[in-house]
Amino acid sequence: MYRVLIPVDTNEERALAQAEYVTSLPNAAESVEAYLLFVFTEDSDDLPQEFETFKSASRIGSVRRAQEALEDAGIEVTILEDSGDTEDDILAEAEAYDVDSIVLGGRKRSPVGKAIFGSTTQGIILSSDRPVVVTGGGGEE
């Protein structure tokens, strides 16, 4: 079984791009197991107020949309959630679930911004001992 970790934020378009990449892997329905990860951080200000009381990754729109896309393609999905430091949590979950690769969602950036990945993406690429894929994604949020 080929295991992938898919850390998603609240951007549904990016989460779907990540899911689309995973569904395009060879024999995905038979050979891929996906772990969708949402990390609640102090910076999760863009979440609706009701999430403060009942934080649950399965209630996040981007998580649900990615899960649906993956399951529609016949891929087994496990939802993970964590809170704290995004980069450290992603790396810890990759280790805990012994994933074969990490699939990150890229953001649209200016020409200068393209030269340097976002801080979390760059940190994962530099710190991970696993292959990291950065998919295209929408929006700058």
Side-chain angles (χ1 to χ4, degrees), residues 16 41 44 62 65 68 101 121 125 128 133:
L16 286 174
T41 65
S44 297
S62 57
R65 298 277 310 275
E68 290 168 3
S101 67
T121 300
I125 291 169
S128 180
V133 174

Side-chain angles (χ1 to χ4, degrees), residues 29 59 64 77 82 85-86 99 141:
R59 296 180 63 189
R64 284 195 320 267
V77 179
D82 211 325
D85 179 0
T86 305
V99 298
E141 36 179 295

Side-chain angles (χ1 to χ4, degrees), residues 5-10 36-47 55-58 60 62-63 79-94 104 120 124:
L5 178 65
I6 310 169
V8 297
D9 59 13
T10 58
L36 273 171
L37 171 65
F38 186 87
V39 179
F40 291 94
T41 65
E42 291 178 11
D43 297 330
S44 297
D45 295 335
D46 51 351
L47 291 175
K55 286 185 176 179
S56 172
S58 61
I60 307 294
S62 57
V63 174
I79 305 293
L80 306 173
E81 60 185 64
D82 211 325
S83 61
D85 179 0
T86 305
E87 183 180 328
D88 289 343
D89 290 335
I90 291 169
L91 294 170
E93 295 293 350
L104 301 174
T120 299
I124 299 298

